[in-house]
Amino acid sequence: MSRLNHLPEWAALAKHRAELGEVHLRDLFAADADRGRRYSLQVGDLYLDYAKHLVTDETLALLRELAAARRVAELRDAMFHGDKINFTEHRAVLHVALRAPRDAVIEVDGENVVPKVHAVLDRMAAFADRIRTGEWKGHTGERITTIVNIGIGGSDLGPAMAYEALRAFTDRGLTFHFVSNVDGADLHEAVRAADPAKTLFIISSKTFTTIETITNATAARRWLVAQLGDESAVAKHFVAVSTNAGEVAKFGIDTANMFEFWDWVGGRYSYDSAIGLSLMIALGPDGFRQMLDGFHRMDEHFRTAPPEQNAPLLLGLLGIWYRDFHDAQTHAVLPYSHYLSRFTAYLQQLDMESNGKSVARDGKPVEWETGPIVWGTPGTNGQHAYYQLIHQGTALIPADLIGFARPVAELADLAGQHDLLMANMFAQGQALAFGKPAEQVAAEGVAEKEVPHRTFRGDRPTTTILAGELNPSVLGQLIALYEHKVFVQGAIWDIDSFDQWGVELGKVLAKRIEPALTEGAQIPGLDSSTSTLVAKYRADRGR
Ligand SMILES: O=P(O)(O)OC[C@H]1O[C@](O)(CO)[C@@H](O)[C@@H]1O
């Protein structure tokens, strides 16, 4: 297959972009009174409005032609089929199997993996129930009330994000902490007020060799044993989630208390595997299963919907349009829900670890742009911080606005605030798209020299995603939507969205530098900047 930028479909998009020139969203809406309805999709519980994008019917058709030329559908089918599409690690990419129904058949190397998935889900459910009912007792016979998940990256961000998102559906009698940073402050703050007799640690690590996680887990074990005064207490207060039984046993956790997943689940695609154990304890097995059903619903949509109605395909293509044909370097995700406070942080790993690549499948550097910088925080807070730049700065920043029609039941007394929240979300989409022309500003009596400062150009694209309420199923649908969007983009950019070699070098160098900090070890060939920093650090540390 030709390189992406040599495809005629790529050239057609570049030509079309030049022809569209400065056509404003105001013109596109004026030309089509039905645009708001036509440029929308209902997928499961998610309503997607994509009318406020800098596209016409022709743009969308050309983008779909690009997807066809890049064989996105074939690659998608290969993923669902268990083919080893993670070509630099020679692995299948089967997070979709984690939420497949019991009777589905998905094979890796000739073995149906679905029964294994459900066997682990059943073990997780039994364990979660034992914690939730108090049947599982700690070493001194106390009921567990504090759960600390220790993990990092994909072994932290998913459960931490989903726990926040679904707090209203969790057992409020239990306290959860998510410890990830090797900075001792993270663990310290989690355990300083915890009662060790009532605390369970879930050590979550796909490899069980990640330095941050093993360091924190070792410190947690030291704390627990010191507090309870008995090494054998570990058995009732530590469980593991991993693919690596050998390392789990070496750490001292009985593999009977290990919940398994598999190398065909990428870290950043893993929170619906056993990595979600803390979340399942919080939600209960039924809530967790509702979330899996939500994921599966979106998987089926992605797998079967025609290109014109395929939401992940559409969002992926819109991202390509801005990244490669509008030079948009960043993409903002702005949820209008306080409960989604960790949502964008989660997406950062999902998107940037997946598509932050610059070498194509043929081993040569890409000659096109790839993954954007993903950022954002919940509205309305961001409105009073950085939205100024989105409205009037020089960068084009496409944004996703995500909101819900109904607040969760617990917020009944504050329901009026929800309307204000959502009014803000709709207003932002409107202001970004249509702006405020100079004539309108002048007509309001603004002094001539101030008019340019008060003018909003508009033409800032947004997707609005609206659902009835934020619940486990809807969260699953949302996450799967973004997972598959990222997949589509990686397929078009011709990169491996499922490896992460770019995080390795820093890990190796940190291991080399540590003895220089602690013992003053000489590192041959260390550059003058880093060696001066090391010397300064040691001096300030009193060494
Ligand atoms: O689950 P593990 O093996 O501890 O890895 C944690 C994280 O580290 C990475 O490998 C790299 O940062 C992520 O992809 C992964 O989610």
PDB file of all heavy atoms in Angstrom, residues 152-155 204-210 213 261 267-268 275 349 353 500 503-504 507, ligand 1:
ATOM      1  N   ILE A 152       0.212   1.968  38.348  1.00  0.00           N
ATOM      2  CA  ILE A 152       0.516   3.227  37.650  1.00  0.00           C
ATOM      3  C   ILE A 152       0.130   3.099  36.184  1.00  0.00           C
ATOM      4  O   ILE A 152       0.002   1.985  35.670  1.00  0.00           O
ATOM      5  CB  ILE A 152       2.019   3.601  37.842  1.00  0.00           C
ATOM      6  CG1 ILE A 152       2.274   5.071  37.483  1.00  0.00           C
ATOM      7  CG2 ILE A 152       2.932   2.683  37.042  1.00  0.00           C
ATOM      8  CD1 ILE A 152       3.584   5.625  38.026  1.00  0.00           C
ATOM      9  N   GLY A 153      -0.059   4.227  35.520  1.00  0.00           N
ATOM     10  CA  GLY A 153      -0.447   4.208  34.100  1.00  0.00           C
ATOM     11  C   GLY A 153      -1.764   3.474  33.953  1.00  0.00           C
ATOM     12  O   GLY A 153      -2.731   3.730  34.683  1.00  0.00           O
ATOM     13  N   GLY A 154      -1.785   2.520  33.052  1.00  0.00           N
ATOM     14  CA  GLY A 154      -3.018   1.782  32.796  1.00  0.00           C
ATOM     15  C   GLY A 154      -3.488   0.955  33.979  1.00  0.00           C
ATOM     16  O   GLY A 154      -4.634   0.512  34.005  1.00  0.00           O
ATOM     17  N   SER A 155      -2.614   0.745  34.953  1.00  0.00           N
ATOM     18  CA  SER A 155      -3.016  -0.029  36.129  1.00  0.00           C
ATOM     19  C   SER A 155      -3.512   0.875  37.257  1.00  0.00           C
ATOM     20  O   SER A 155      -3.700   0.418  38.385  1.00  0.00           O
ATOM     21  CB  SER A 155      -1.832  -0.890  36.603  1.00  0.00           C
ATOM     22  OG  SER A 155      -1.463  -1.775  35.573  1.00  0.00           O
ATOM     23  N   SER A 204      -1.662  -3.771  41.508  1.00  0.00           N
ATOM     24  CA  SER A 204      -2.091  -3.932  40.122  1.00  0.00           C
ATOM     25  C   SER A 204      -0.943  -3.607  39.183  1.00  0.00           C
ATOM     26  O   SER A 204      -0.486  -2.462  39.137  1.00  0.00           O
ATOM     27  CB  SER A 204      -3.266  -2.985  39.822  1.00  0.00           C
ATOM     28  OG  SER A 204      -4.353  -3.281  40.662  1.00  0.00           O
ATOM     29  N   SER A 205      -0.490  -4.602  38.483  1.00  0.00           N
ATOM     30  CA  SER A 205       0.589  -4.356  37.515  1.00  0.00           C
ATOM     31  C   SER A 205       0.598  -5.477  36.498  1.00  0.00           C
ATOM     32  O   SER A 205       0.726  -6.651  36.867  1.00  0.00           O
ATOM     33  CB  SER A 205       1.943  -4.291  38.236  1.00  0.00           C
ATOM     34  OG  SER A 205       2.986  -4.195  37.294  1.00  0.00           O
ATOM     35  N   LYS A 206       0.476  -5.107  35.249  1.00  0.00           N
ATOM     36  CA  LYS A 206       0.477  -6.123  34.196  1.00  0.00           C
ATOM     37  C   LYS A 206       1.773  -6.943  34.271  1.00  0.00           C
ATOM     38  O   LYS A 206       1.741  -8.159  34.270  1.00  0.00           O
ATOM     39  CB  LYS A 206       0.329  -5.433  32.838  1.00  0.00           C
ATOM     40  CG  LYS A 206       0.283  -6.391  31.683  1.00  0.00           C
ATOM     41  CD  LYS A 206       0.010  -5.681  30.371  1.00  0.00           C
ATOM     42  CE  LYS A 206       0.206  -6.661  29.222  1.00  0.00           C
ATOM     43  NZ  LYS A 206       0.005  -6.067  27.909  1.00  0.00           N
ATOM     44  N   THR A 207       2.889  -6.249  34.345  1.00  0.00           N
ATOM     45  CA  THR A 207       4.186  -6.942  34.329  1.00  0.00           C
ATOM     46  C   THR A 207       4.642  -7.360  35.723  1.00  0.00           C
ATOM     47  O   THR A 207       5.452  -8.256  35.873  1.00  0.00           O
ATOM     48  CB  THR A 207       5.252  -5.996  33.767  1.00  0.00           C
ATOM     49  OG1 THR A 207       5.223  -4.788  34.561  1.00  0.00           O
ATOM     50  CG2 THR A 207       4.993  -5.654  32.315  1.00  0.00           C
ATOM     51  N   PHE A 208       4.189  -6.683  36.728  1.00  0.00           N
ATOM     52  CA  PHE A 208       4.622  -6.834  38.116  1.00  0.00           C
ATOM     53  C   PHE A 208       6.120  -6.563  38.272  1.00  0.00           C
ATOM     54  O   PHE A 208       6.772  -7.074  39.183  1.00  0.00           O
ATOM     55  CB  PHE A 208       4.252  -8.208  38.699  1.00  0.00           C
ATOM     56  CG  PHE A 208       3.551  -8.084  40.026  1.00  0.00           C
ATOM     57  CD1 PHE A 208       2.227  -7.697  40.099  1.00  0.00           C
ATOM     58  CD2 PHE A 208       4.226  -8.310  41.218  1.00  0.00           C
ATOM     59  CE1 PHE A 208       1.578  -7.548  41.322  1.00  0.00           C
ATOM     60  CE2 PHE A 208       3.597  -8.168  42.458  1.00  0.00           C
ATOM     61  CZ  PHE A 208       2.255  -7.780  42.497  1.00  0.00           C
ATOM     62  N   THR A 209       6.650  -5.733  37.377  1.00  0.00           N
ATOM     63  CA  THR A 209       8.058  -5.338  37.497  1.00  0.00           C
ATOM     64  C   THR A 209       8.189  -3.818  37.472  1.00  0.00           C
ATOM     65  O   THR A 209       9.302  -3.304  37.532  1.00  0.00           O
ATOM     66  CB  THR A 209       8.889  -5.913  36.329  1.00  0.00           C
ATOM     67  OG1 THR A 209       8.278  -5.496  35.102  1.00  0.00           O
ATOM     68  CG2 THR A 209       8.964  -7.427  36.367  1.00  0.00           C
ATOM     69  N   THR A 210       7.088  -3.113  37.377  1.00  0.00           N
ATOM     70  CA  THR A 210       7.157  -1.644  37.256  1.00  0.00           C
ATOM     71  C   THR A 210       7.671  -1.051  38.559  1.00  0.00           C
ATOM     72  O   THR A 210       7.104  -1.307  39.635  1.00  0.00           O
ATOM     73  CB  THR A 210       5.759  -1.095  36.904  1.00  0.00           C
ATOM     74  OG1 THR A 210       5.342  -1.742  35.702  1.00  0.00           O
ATOM     75  CG2 THR A 210       5.785   0.407  36.680  1.00  0.00           C
ATOM     76  N   THR A 213       5.409   0.778  41.140  1.00  0.00           N
ATOM     77  CA  THR A 213       4.408  -0.072  41.797  1.00  0.00           C
ATOM     78  C   THR A 213       5.063  -1.015  42.798  1.00  0.00           C
ATOM     79  O   THR A 213       4.573  -1.170  43.928  1.00  0.00           O
ATOM     80  CB  THR A 213       3.617  -0.859  40.728  1.00  0.00           C
ATOM     81  OG1 THR A 213       3.003   0.116  39.876  1.00  0.00           O
ATOM     82  CG2 THR A 213       2.576  -1.765  41.331  1.00  0.00           C
ATOM     83  N   PHE A 261      -4.908 -11.374  34.091  1.00  0.00           N
ATOM     84  CA  PHE A 261      -5.294 -10.994  32.728  1.00  0.00           C
ATOM     85  C   PHE A 261      -4.171 -11.389  31.797  1.00  0.00           C
ATOM     86  O   PHE A 261      -3.290 -12.150  32.207  1.00  0.00           O
ATOM     87  CB  PHE A 261      -5.776  -9.538  32.643  1.00  0.00           C
ATOM     88  CG  PHE A 261      -4.782  -8.450  32.942  1.00  0.00           C
ATOM     89  CD1 PHE A 261      -4.389  -7.565  31.948  1.00  0.00           C
ATOM     90  CD2 PHE A 261      -4.258  -8.269  34.204  1.00  0.00           C
ATOM     91  CE1 PHE A 261      -3.508  -6.535  32.198  1.00  0.00           C
ATOM     92  CE2 PHE A 261      -3.360  -7.249  34.480  1.00  0.00           C
ATOM     93  CZ  PHE A 261      -2.980  -6.388  33.471  1.00  0.00           C
ATOM     94  N   GLY A 267      -1.954  -2.235  28.602  1.00  0.00           N
ATOM     95  CA  GLY A 267      -2.135  -1.571  29.898  1.00  0.00           C
ATOM     96  C   GLY A 267      -3.210  -0.495  29.847  1.00  0.00           C
ATOM     97  O   GLY A 267      -4.097  -0.431  30.698  1.00  0.00           O
ATOM     98  N   ARG A 268      -3.159   0.355  28.820  1.00  0.00           N
ATOM     99  CA  ARG A 268      -4.109   1.471  28.767  1.00  0.00           C
ATOM    100  C   ARG A 268      -5.500   1.038  28.285  1.00  0.00           C
ATOM    101  O   ARG A 268      -6.403   1.859  28.179  1.00  0.00           O
ATOM    102  CB  ARG A 268      -3.548   2.596  27.894  1.00  0.00           C
ATOM    103  CG  ARG A 268      -3.121   2.171  26.506  1.00  0.00           C
ATOM    104  CD  ARG A 268      -2.293   3.246  25.829  1.00  0.00           C
ATOM    105  NE  ARG A 268      -1.714   2.826  24.564  1.00  0.00           N
ATOM    106  CZ  ARG A 268      -0.565   2.169  24.441  1.00  0.00           C
ATOM    107  NH1 ARG A 268       0.123   1.826  25.510  1.00  0.00           N
ATOM    108  NH2 ARG A 268      -0.105   1.845  23.255  1.00  0.00           N
ATOM    109  N   ILE A 275      -7.854  -5.512  36.271  1.00  0.00           N
ATOM    110  CA  ILE A 275      -7.325  -4.226  36.758  1.00  0.00           C
ATOM    111  C   ILE A 275      -8.461  -3.406  37.389  1.00  0.00           C
ATOM    112  O   ILE A 275      -8.227  -2.553  38.234  1.00  0.00           O
ATOM    113  CB  ILE A 275      -6.617  -3.461  35.608  1.00  0.00           C
ATOM    114  CG1 ILE A 275      -5.290  -4.157  35.235  1.00  0.00           C
ATOM    115  CG2 ILE A 275      -6.392  -1.987  35.942  1.00  0.00           C
ATOM    116  CD1 ILE A 275      -4.178  -4.080  36.279  1.00  0.00           C
ATOM    117  N   GLN A 349      -3.504   9.104  28.503  1.00  0.00           N
ATOM    118  CA  GLN A 349      -2.717   7.889  28.277  1.00  0.00           C
ATOM    119  C   GLN A 349      -3.273   7.112  27.088  1.00  0.00           C
ATOM    120  O   GLN A 349      -2.532   6.664  26.214  1.00  0.00           O
ATOM    121  CB  GLN A 349      -2.698   6.976  29.517  1.00  0.00           C
ATOM    122  CG  GLN A 349      -1.702   5.829  29.315  1.00  0.00           C
ATOM    123  CD  GLN A 349      -1.899   4.635  30.238  1.00  0.00           C
ATOM    124  OE1 GLN A 349      -2.914   4.500  30.899  1.00  0.00           O
ATOM    125  NE2 GLN A 349      -0.913   3.748  30.275  1.00  0.00           N
ATOM    126  N   GLU A 353      -0.329   7.786  24.544  1.00  0.00           N
ATOM    127  CA  GLU A 353       0.579   6.634  24.560  1.00  0.00           C
ATOM    128  C   GLU A 353       0.314   5.757  23.339  1.00  0.00           C
ATOM    129  O   GLU A 353       1.199   5.061  22.862  1.00  0.00           O
ATOM    130  CB  GLU A 353       0.408   5.821  25.865  1.00  0.00           C
ATOM    131  CG  GLU A 353       1.597   4.922  26.170  1.00  0.00           C
ATOM    132  CD  GLU A 353       1.596   4.338  27.578  1.00  0.00           C
ATOM    133  OE1 GLU A 353       0.876   3.347  27.802  1.00  0.00           O
ATOM    134  OE2 GLU A 353       2.308   4.844  28.450  1.00  0.00           O
ATOM    135  N   GLN A 500       4.495   0.975  23.244  1.00  0.00           N
ATOM    136  CA  GLN A 500       4.828   2.206  23.980  1.00  0.00           C
ATOM    137  C   GLN A 500       6.324   2.252  24.257  1.00  0.00           C
ATOM    138  O   GLN A 500       6.752   2.468  25.373  1.00  0.00           O
ATOM    139  CB  GLN A 500       4.011   2.352  25.284  1.00  0.00           C
ATOM    140  CG  GLN A 500       4.107   1.198  26.279  1.00  0.00           C
ATOM    141  CD  GLN A 500       3.297  -0.002  25.872  1.00  0.00           C
ATOM    142  OE1 GLN A 500       2.173   0.124  25.413  1.00  0.00           O
ATOM    143  NE2 GLN A 500       3.875  -1.190  25.999  1.00  0.00           N
ATOM    144  N   VAL A 503       8.379   5.091  26.299  1.00  0.00           N
ATOM    145  CA  VAL A 503       8.482   5.323  27.744  1.00  0.00           C
ATOM    146  C   VAL A 503       9.667   4.576  28.353  1.00  0.00           C
ATOM    147  O   VAL A 503       9.954   4.717  29.536  1.00  0.00           O
ATOM    148  CB  VAL A 503       7.172   4.943  28.492  1.00  0.00           C
ATOM    149  CG1 VAL A 503       6.016   5.787  28.004  1.00  0.00           C
ATOM    150  CG2 VAL A 503       6.858   3.464  28.341  1.00  0.00           C
ATOM    151  N   GLU A 504      10.362   3.780  27.539  1.00  0.00           N
ATOM    152  CA  GLU A 504      11.394   2.898  28.085  1.00  0.00           C
ATOM    153  C   GLU A 504      12.682   3.626  28.460  1.00  0.00           C
ATOM    154  O   GLU A 504      13.275   3.376  29.500  1.00  0.00           O
ATOM    155  CB  GLU A 504      11.724   1.774  27.083  1.00  0.00           C
ATOM    156  CG  GLU A 504      10.579   0.812  26.850  1.00  0.00           C
ATOM    157  CD  GLU A 504      10.052   0.196  28.142  1.00  0.00           C
ATOM    158  OE1 GLU A 504      10.865  -0.120  29.024  1.00  0.00           O
ATOM    159  OE2 GLU A 504       8.829   0.071  28.284  1.00  0.00           O
ATOM    160  N   LYS A 507      12.989   5.240  31.824  1.00  0.00           N
ATOM    161  CA  LYS A 507      13.031   4.259  32.919  1.00  0.00           C
ATOM    162  C   LYS A 507      14.458   3.740  33.093  1.00  0.00           C
ATOM    163  O   LYS A 507      14.967   3.624  34.205  1.00  0.00           O
ATOM    164  CB  LYS A 507      12.129   3.057  32.594  1.00  0.00           C
ATOM    165  CG  LYS A 507      10.649   3.333  32.573  1.00  0.00           C
ATOM    166  CD  LYS A 507       9.922   2.003  32.367  1.00  0.00           C
ATOM    167  CE  LYS A 507       8.473   2.180  32.009  1.00  0.00           C
ATOM    168  NZ  LYS A 507       7.820   0.936  31.632  1.00  0.00           N
TER     169      LYS A 507
HETATM  170  O1  LIG B   1       0.843  -2.496  34.609  1.00  0.00           O
HETATM  171  P1  LIG B   1       2.312  -2.274  34.572  1.00  0.00           P
HETATM  172  O2  LIG B   1       3.049  -3.413  33.938  1.00  0.00           O
HETATM  173  O3  LIG B   1       2.832  -1.980  35.949  1.00  0.00           O
HETATM  174  O4  LIG B   1       2.601  -1.026  33.668  1.00  0.00           O
HETATM  175  C1  LIG B   1       2.090   0.238  33.976  1.00  0.00           C
HETATM  176  C2  LIG B   1       2.154   1.183  32.819  1.00  0.00           C
HETATM  177  O5  LIG B   1       3.475   1.317  32.354  1.00  0.00           O
HETATM  178  C3  LIG B   1       3.494   1.436  30.935  1.00  0.00           C
HETATM  179  O6  LIG B   1       3.959   0.251  30.406  1.00  0.00           O
HETATM  180  C4  LIG B   1       4.386   2.523  30.443  1.00  0.00           C
HETATM  181  O7  LIG B   1       4.295   3.681  31.155  1.00  0.00           O
HETATM  182  C5  LIG B   1       2.030   1.645  30.576  1.00  0.00           C
HETATM  183  O8  LIG B   1       1.735   1.313  29.281  1.00  0.00           O
HETATM  184  C6  LIG B   1       1.368   0.781  31.591  1.00  0.00           C
HETATM  185  O9  LIG B   1       0.012   1.045  31.670  1.00  0.00           O
END
